[in-house]
Each structure stands twice: as structure tokens, then as C-alpha cells.
Amino acid sequence: MTGNDMQHRTGRSCAVVGVNWGDEGKGRMVDLLTESYDIVVRYQGGGNAGHTVVNDRGKFALHLLPSGILREGTVNILGCGVALDPENLCSEIRDVASKGVAVTPDNLKISDRASILMPWHRDLDELEETRLAEKKYGSTKQGIAPFYSDKYQKKTILAGELSDPDRLAVRLRDLLEWKNLTLTKVYGAKPYDIEEITAWLREYCEAIKPYICDTGEYLRMARAHGRSLLFEAQLGALRDLDYGIYPYTTSSNALAAYAPIGSGLPSLRLTNVIGVVKAYSTCVGEGPFVCEMFGDEAEKLRTEGAEYGAKTRRKRRVGPLDLVATRYGAQVQGTTEIALTKMDVLGYMEKIPVCVRYEINGAETDRFPFPSELDDAKPVIEYVPGWGCDISGARRWEDLPAAAQSYVRMVEQAVGCPVTYISVGAERDSIILR
Ligand code: GDP
Ligand code: MG
């Protein structure tokens, strides 16, 4: 065991969370850290995630599967807070299997309290975005918003209910009666019948049944045996339902504070929270993005950073590092340390733009504003020296040019939290530990 292993094992619990708008490189960090943790838990979100991981087994775009699935011996859990999408999950399991990664009930466990995302959730997502037309929210149309609305209305099926077909049939009939009203009378769409849904359950839910268990109990036992836990968030702080840029948020809580609840260990206290910050900003979908860059400058950064969505292939919107949003993101996440990713991408810039404050109605502020005020905010940009070279081969702090070290220190100072990992490439070992 290395020193790093020792530090992380012995019952530690750590959340790896996004500080920005998502796509900061959480999957990449989880893949690295599974060396030192026994169990990885996804605690919110669904198949709308796209976590890209590059390691010795290949390149993977994971959606619902926790990134620990790629490490032999790591146990992966989908907690009660996730949107359990059986269609996406089945195709993802097949996809990783085709690349030599076996998914079995030993390395994947699904909470019996996780709600199932049904075919109508995807339909309703699409129908509502179409109705909104140019006022759309920029949904990935994976059914996430209708799914969580139904969960809070107590109108979803829990994974554990699949084991009692008779009772399930009764529940489904009730749900269908209600859901068909919305589909037909609100949207003029086609209703579902019970035969169709039964066939759907047979096709997708039978396949996931072997993985379903009481993951809360599993985790409690694991804790009692001193196993260490890693929680993998989807999206970032600014997309959190309660603390993000509402209504351009996701429909669940992406914050570290939710990890214990969404995983099955509601009373757990996390020992550390690693906030993943990208060295510049990106954002997928609609909503205010104060520091957004346009034109050639944006196109260049997008190309250098390969900023296209893993799930949707959508062009990501790009901009300079936003210290106002990053400080806020780190604060609501309660980060104890920062992993700064994609530092290598900035190597082409002679001077690097950074958004240091916002200007709102003529007044400058470093406070992240209330969501609706964001429309009036303009970025205050300052330039810091670039390093103008390729740093993707750096593996030690001393290998970094002075300007890159200053950039890291600037982030630490602005956020008030140490940067302990600096990522200089997508591959597992393209990392500097500090
Ligand atoms: P996540 O959703 O937070 O897991 O992040 P994504 O996987 O959606 O987006 C991050 C992208 O950047 C992925 O394509 C990663 O392979 C890639 N990536 C992560 N870290 C680095 C890095 O340090 N340098 C470079 N060049 N790419 C990185
Ligand atoms: Mg992503």
C-alpha cells in the first residue's frame, strides 16, 4: 500500500463533486481515486450524465454506471437518489462489456429504494421542451425533470417493487390511469397500456433485478468493516436544484451534502469533499453563463479542450475561469480540497483571461448573485501570464512552469481552499499530486 492509499483507506468517506456547471472531470478523478477507495456510490442524477474516463482499459463514456466500474475489485452502488433508467443502464452494461468490463452483482449494486425512470418520463421531457420551443430549458431529454417531479409526487415505482409482480401490476395500473391523463389531455400524446408497460418491464427490468438489494444495509456493513467510500456526483454546484442557477438547473441535488441521503447512509459525515474545478469554464445547454466567450476565441478554446458533450455531442459553451462562480460553487459544496483539471488545455494562450468579478448595473461585486440577477451581470476580465508550452508531461509540482504554478495559487487564493490535484491530461496518470 502506498502512503496515499493509507491516507484514504480506513473508513474514509469522500465526495467528488463539480464546483462549476458540470463536465469538470469528475469521472476522471473518480477513476484515479478508486485506487484508494473500496466502494463508489452515485447518489443523484441519471443517464443524462456523461463522465469520460481514459485509462489502461480504453476510453469510456459512462452515464449511469459509477466510474469505479472500470477498476477490478471496486464495488459500485447506485443509491436511492439516482434516476434509475433501466434502458440506459442495460445498454451501458452491454457497452462496457463489449470493451471487456464485466458488470456483475458483485461489482454493481442497485438500491431497492431507487425509483425507476419509465418510458413516459422521456416522452414528457421531449413534449415539454417542444411546447416551450425557443423558451426551452435545454434538457438532455432523458426524462430527468418529469422523473423527479413524479418521485416527489410519490408516483414512481421503486426498484424493490419489481420483486412482487402482483402488487406491482396493481400499482402500475393506478399510475397509468393518472399518467395517461397528462399525456393525452395536456399534450395530446399517445397513452400507454398495461401490456406495453409489462413488456417493457420484461425487456429492461428483468435484466437489472439481480443487482437490486438493500444498499443501505450493505454500506452500513461495509462501514463497520472499515471500508472506504467515494461518492461520485453528477453535474456541478451551479446546476444544483436548490443552490444553482434555477430554473436552469437539474432536478436533483448535485451537492456533496446530499451524498449521504442519496446513497443510503443518511447519517454519514463526509471526511473530505474534493471539488473538481476546470481551469476554464464550460456550460452545456441554456441559462445564464456570465463569462461566456464567442467567436474565434471561443472556437479555439472549444477545439483545444475538445468541449463537446459526452452524452449529447452538443457543443459546450466556453469561457475563462470564473472566480465568482467558482468561489460560490466551492462554498456550497463545502470543498476541503480542489482538483484543478484541464490545465494542459491553456498551454496555447500567451495571456489567460480570468473573470475576477461581476459588474451588475454599474457596480462591481465578487458575490455570486441571485439567479434572476445573472442576466444583468457582466464579467470583469483580467489577464494573467500564460505559460505558452505543453505541460501534459508534467507529473510533479516542480515540473510546472512558474506561470502555471501562479495560476494554481490564484485559484487557491480566490476559493480559499488548497488545490491538491492538478490534472494535465485525460489519462489516469496525467496528474500532479500536491
Ligand atoms: P465529468 O462529467 O465531470 O465527469 O466530465 P466529462 O467527462 O463530461 O468532461 C471532462 C472531459 O475532459 C472528458 O472528455 C475527459 O476525458 C477530459 N479531461 C479530464 N481531465 C482532463 C485534463 O486534465 N486534460 C484534458 N486535456 N482533458 C481532460
Ligand atoms: Mg460530463
Side-chain angles (χ1 to χ4, degrees):
M1 224 184 256
T2 64
N4 191 37
D5 273 348
M6 284 303 293
Q7 183 207 330
H8 284 286
R9 281 198 198 272
T10 61
R12 292 182 75 83
S13 55
C14 169
V16 176
V17 297
V19 169
N20 310 124
W21 296 263
D23 304 322
E24 299 92 346
K26 296 175 291 295
R28 179 255 182 283
M29 287 307 300
V30 170
D31 177 63
L32 173 78
L33 290 162
T34 48
E35 187 192 1
S36 317
Y37 286 85
D38 302 303
I39 300 172
V40 181
V41 192
R42 273 282 307 273
Y43 59 90
Q44 47 78 227
N48 55 334
H51 296 179
T52 300
V53 174
V54 187
N55 59 31
D56 48 2
R57 302 179 87 171
K59 179 173 179 177
F60 299 84
L62 298 171
H63 304 293
L64 196 51
L65 285 174
S67 300
I69 204 75
L70 304 175
R71 179 93 65 170
E72 253 171 78
T74 302
V75 174
N76 295 272
I77 291 182
L78 294 177
C80 56
V82 303
L84 178 60
D85 176 341
E87 284 184 53
N88 259 327
L89 186 58
C90 287
S91 75
E92 206 178 333
I93 290 175
R94 271 197 307 276
D95 185 46
V96 298
S98 74
K99 293 177 182 165
V101 177
V103 180
T104 70
D106 285 333
N107 69 349
L108 178 67
K109 300 181 190 298
I110 300 172
S111 168
D112 54 1
R113 285 179 173 269
S115 285
I116 299 174
L117 189 140
M118 301 297 289
W120 51 75
H121 292 132
R122 234 185 289 277
D123 295 351
L124 287 166
D125 206 348
E126 174 93 47
L127 288 163
E128 179 57 12
E129 284 285 277
T130 306
R131 187 192 72 80
L132 284 166
E134 68 279 5
K135 290 183 290 183
K136 67 181 192 296
Y137 283 28
S139 165
T140 53
K141 299 181 186 166
Q142 297 295 313
I144 301 298
F147 165 87
Y148 280 108
S149 319
D150 280 6
K151 175 172 170 173
Y152 283 89
Q153 284 200 73
K154 299 155 291 179
K155 293 204 193 293
T156 48
I157 304 280
L158 302 183
E161 293 185 75
L162 296 172
S163 62
D164 186 347
D166 293 340
R167 198 182 297 226
L168 177 62
V170 176
R171 287 258 291 130
L172 269 175
R173 271 178 214 285
D174 287 349
L175 282 186
L176 267 183
E177 187 185 303
W178 171 75
K179 192 47 83 181
N180 280 340
L181 286 173
T182 313
L183 282 166
T184 60
K185 297 197 195 288
V186 175
Y187 291 102
K190 77 167 184 52
Y192 280 92
D193 61 40
I194 190 82
E195 286 74 28
E196 221 175 329
I197 290 304
T198 312
W200 182 85
L201 288 173
R202 216 177 302 120
E203 180 162 4
Y204 297 106
C205 292
E206 280 306 312
I208 61 167
K209 261 163 97 170
Y211 303 100
I212 299 169
C213 61
D214 182 346
T215 54
E217 186 179 24
Y218 178 85
L219 286 169
R220 279 192 299 280
M221 295 291 289
R223 293 270 301 154
H225 288 95
R227 300 272 186 277
S228 53
L229 314 180
L230 201 55
F231 297 89
E232 178 177 18
Q234 181 223 4
L235 294 168
L238 301 167
R239 298 288 191 193
D240 180 85
L241 178 62
D242 287 289
Y243 294 89
I245 53 172
Y246 192 87
Y248 298 99
T249 59
T250 195
S251 300
S252 64
N253 291 104
L255 295 188
Y258 192 74
I261 293 186
S263 68
L265 285 173
S267 61
L268 178 81
R269 276 175 182 230
L270 296 169
T271 41
N272 47 334
V273 176
I274 301 181
V276 188
V277 174
K278 197 184 276 195
Y280 52 94
S281 300
T282 65
C283 161
V284 181
E286 309 297 318
F289 185 39
V290 175
C291 66
E292 185 163 14
M293 297 191 321
F294 300 93
D296 292 348
E297 199 188 5
E299 204 49 53
K300 174 75 177 155
L301 181 53
R302 186 176 299 118
T303 309
E304 291 290 324
E307 294 298 347
Y308 299 88
K311 182 76 196 178
T312 54
R313 304 308 303 157
R314 287 190 288 189
K315 265 187 182 185
R316 290 175 182 153
R317 298 158 72 188
V318 299
L321 178 66
D322 180 337
L323 294 178
V324 182
T326 300
R327 189 185 304 109
Y328 173 76
Q331 177 218 322
V332 291
Q333 290 288 17
T335 56
T336 56
E337 52 194 300
I338 298 286
L340 188 61
T341 60
K342 302 196 92 161
M343 276 286 284
D344 54 307
V345 172
L346 300 181
Y348 73 92
M349 292 185 184
E350 260 172 54
K351 49 183 186 135
I352 305 176
V354 177
C355 173
V356 291
R357 284 179 299 283
Y358 290 172
E359 188 206 299
I360 302 176
N361 302 325
E364 290 196 5
T365 178
D366 48 21
R367 179 186 149 268
F368 192 72
F370 184 75
S372 59
E373 281 176 339
L374 283 165
D375 287 335
D376 301 324
K378 293 183 191 62
V380 178
I381 302 289
E382 283 177 7
Y383 287 85
V384 300
W387 41 99
C389 65
D390 177 11
I391 56 166
S392 60
R395 294 292 175 271
R396 295 169 311 159
W397 174 251
E398 306 81 70
D399 297 340
L400 287 177
Q405 292 183 346
S406 305
Y407 197 81
V408 174
R409 290 203 188 93
M410 171 190 72
V411 174
E412 285 184 330
Q413 234 159 32
V415 175
C417 188
V419 173
T420 51
Y421 297 90
I422 300 152
S423 176
V424 292
E427 306 75 22
R428 186 182 273 171
D429 51 13
S430 299
I431 196 87
I432 296 169
L433 267 71
R434 187 148 167 261

